[in-house]
């Protein structure tokens, strides 16, 4: 069978394109999380609530989560406040500012034995991970 040169080139191009697409993975790279302050703190708040407060974690049992994500200061934050006295001074403040978000965590819980774990958890959740 003898093909016209233009048909051969078109046929060869289609074959190469098909071969290339069949070699490519169907998986697309995971989307990176939004790094702005509000979406970062939303991720932190959801995971902190699940992993620290609702899980019965002994460090956070005497406290409750007080999210303040709609901040007019541009610093969305979450607070850990005494469970039976939510108007009291927070024992933990985690806040973010800017894009990409700059995180800050402070308060008595950061100075105690749980400070390193809190820091690791917050950084993990801010980066998009969701495990406890």
């Amino acid at each position: 069978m003898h093909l016209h040169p233009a048909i051969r080139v078109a046929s060869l191009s289609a074959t190469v394109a098909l071969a290339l697409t069949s070699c490519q993975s169907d998986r697309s790279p995971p989307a990176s999380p939004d790094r702005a302050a509000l979406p970062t703190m939303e991720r932190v708040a959801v995971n902190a609530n699940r992993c620290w407060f609702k899980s019965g974690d002994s460090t956070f049992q005497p406290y409750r989560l007080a999210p303040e994500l709609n901040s007019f200061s541009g610093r969305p934050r979450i607070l850990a406040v005494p469970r039976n006295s939510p108007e009291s001074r927070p024992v933990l403040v985690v806040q973010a500012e800017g894009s990409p978000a700059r995180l800050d965590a402070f308060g008595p819980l950061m100075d105690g034995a749980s400070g390193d774990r809190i820091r690791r958890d917050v950084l993990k959740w801010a980066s998009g991970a969701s495990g406890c």
Side-chain angles (χ1 to χ4, degrees), residues 18-117:
L18 181 60
L20 287 175
T21 55
S22 68
C23 291
Q24 294 176 349
S25 171
D26 289 340
R27 295 176 300 185
S28 56
S32 67
D34 189 341
R35 302 281 184 209
L38 180 58
T40 297
M41 285 309 301
E42 287 171 342
R43 283 190 303 277
V44 171
V46 165
N47 287 292
N49 192 40
R50 182 172 50 85
C51 296
W52 291 345
F53 297 95
K54 290 194 174 193
S55 71
D57 184 313
S58 61
T59 300
F60 292 93
Q61 220 162 15
Y63 309 107
R64 71 170 42 171
L65 177 68
E68 294 182 350
L69 299 176
N70 295 328
S71 167
F72 295 110
S73 69
R75 285 189 206 116
R77 64 188 190 165
I78 61 170
L79 312 172
V81 296
R83 177 171 296 286
N84 297 324
S85 182
E87 70 285 348
S88 295
R89 175 170 272 174
V91 294
L92 174 67
V93 177
V94 180
Q95 65 185 19
E97 182 177 17
S99 184
R102 290 176 307 284
L103 291 162
D104 193 15
F106 52 91
L109 281 180
M110 290 302 296
D111 298 332
S114 300
D116 285 338
R117 183 185 68 135

Side-chain angles (χ1 to χ4, degrees), residues 6-22:
I7 294 174
R8 252 185 292 173
V9 170
S11 175
L12 180 61
S13 296
T15 303
V16 169
L18 181 60
L20 287 175
T21 55
S22 68

